[in-house]
Amino acid sequence: MHKEHYGFLYGALAALFASGMGLFVKLSTSASVASLFFARFVLAFPIVLWVIYHKKIDIQLAKVPKNLTRSIASILAVYAYFYAVRMLPLVNAITLTNTAPLFLPIVVLVWYKLVVSKRRLLATAVGFLGVVILLRPTGDFQLMGSLLGLASGLFGAVAMMSVRQLSKSESTETILCYYYLIGAVITFFPAVLDWKPITDPVQWLYVLLSAVCALIYQFTLTKAFTHAPATKVGTTNYLAVVFGGIYGWTIFGEVPDVWVVVGTVLIVCGAVIALFDHTPPQPLGK
């Protein structure tokens, strides 16, 4: 299998667990967003420590600065995503968050002064059209939740490029360990200030499952970026919309109509177009 194909496979798995994370955040009604977000770091901490020991990862303070951009961008993206999930229907929040590929060409242009291929732009346009169609039938537009969803997409695009850059010199496990160590410190204080006690065992189960999905999502997403460019892997994030629609159908009884089907087809088509594009980004002006 071509190396980039592994990137798309890991990207699809990341989309699956990203939508699963959103589902359990939606169900975790007893926990505040800040404490729920901190829980994903705390519950995964034993696994992170085991990885550090087993892989003999050398954690150095000198490496923290170059991991800060990725960590802060990811934290802001997920915070915005969690709040969007609480404010909007699940599919709406997932689709708006997955506008990250739409922002990727802009991030690549600003960050590297590179322009992606016309086919890649077409893939992004087709996928985003599918997102618009999926949002259109609900008629439930909420400005703040929608803006947070778009902000999550923008910060997610920055995080994608940061991971891609880090993966050139660091292993997947090392990148994840720094992210979780930095994230645990940053998210601790908001969680303390906004803590709400959870007494229902089922709610604790949802919190745990959201943390597990988050950990697997981070691993598979980071793996995806080690095999393929962020502008390509980013299009697979659209698949999270498909998975979110399936969750809504099977769990909440939301039967998809013709608009959902059309939007889903366009999203998948966008990913397929990007899959067969092997043109690297070109310097601006060429």
Side-chain angles (χ1 to χ4, degrees), residues 89-169:
L90 183 59
V91 170
N92 294 48
I94 292 176
T95 52
L96 287 172
T97 297
N98 281 285
T99 53
L102 178 68
F103 292 109
L104 272 175
I106 300 174
V107 174
V108 170
L109 176 63
V110 174
W111 199 328
Y112 296 107
K113 301 296 187 293
L114 297 175
V115 180
V116 298
S117 69
K118 292 180 180 179
R119 181 177 291 185
R120 200 83 55 83
L121 291 174
L122 174 62
T124 300
V126 170
F128 186 66
L129 177 61
V131 169
V132 172
I133 291 176
L134 278 172
L135 284 174
R136 182 173 178 268
T138 65
D140 184 19
F141 180 75
Q142 297 184 32
L143 180 60
M144 183 55 67
S146 298
L147 289 176
L148 285 169
L150 287 172
S152 179
L154 174 59
F155 289 122
V158 175
M160 287 177 184
M161 292 307 303
S162 299
V163 170
R164 181 65 178 172
Q165 191 67 23
L166 287 170
S167 66
K168 295 178 180 179
S169 60

Side-chain angles (χ1 to χ4, degrees), residues 251-268:
I251 297 175
F252 301 109
E254 300 170 350
V255 180
D257 57 19
V258 64
W259 291 109
V260 173
V261 174
V262 171
T264 299
V265 170
L266 287 174
I267 291 166
V268 174

Side-chain angles (χ1 to χ4, degrees), residues 18-39:
S19 56
M21 177 178 64
L23 169 65
F24 292 118
V25 168
K26 188 82 170 176
L27 292 171
S28 304
T29 55
S30 296
S32 68
V33 169
S35 58
L36 188 63
F37 194 23
F38 177 62

Side-chain angles (χ1 to χ4, degrees), residues 204-216:
W204 274 113
L205 177 62
Y206 292 150
V207 172
L208 175 62
L209 289 174
S210 69
V212 171
C213 284
L215 180 61
I216 299 175

Side-chain angles (χ1 to χ4, degrees), residues 206-276:
Y206 292 150
V207 172
L208 175 62
L209 289 174
S210 69
V212 171
C213 284
L215 180 61
I216 299 175
Y217 163 68
Q218 288 294 332
F219 176 80
T220 51
L221 184 64
T222 306
K223 271 291 189 183
F225 292 139
T226 62
H227 290 287
T231 46
K232 288 188 177 184
V233 173
T235 59
T236 62
N237 284 1
Y238 285 131
L239 295 174
V241 180
V242 179
F243 297 133
I246 293 173
Y247 291 147
W249 184 11
T250 58
I251 297 175
F252 301 109
E254 300 170 350
V255 180
D257 57 19
V258 64
W259 291 109
V260 173
V261 174
V262 171
T264 299
V265 170
L266 287 174
I267 291 166
V268 174
C269 285
V272 171
I273 292 171
L275 175 63
F276 291 102

Side-chain angles (χ1 to χ4, degrees), residues 42-65:
V42 172
L43 294 174
F45 214 72
I47 299 176
V48 173
L49 294 177
W50 179 85
V51 170
I52 292 174
Y53 174 78
H54 183 70
K55 296 289 185 178
K56 296 181 173 58
I57 296 174
D58 184 18
I59 301 296
Q60 302 175 18
L61 288 177
K63 290 186 177 182
V64 170

Side-chain angles (χ1 to χ4, degrees), residues 190-208:
V192 171
L193 293 174
D194 196 29
W195 173 255
K196 294 179 181 179
I198 303 173
T199 57
D200 186 355
V202 176
Q203 287 291 304
W204 274 113
L205 177 62
Y206 292 150
V207 172
L208 175 62

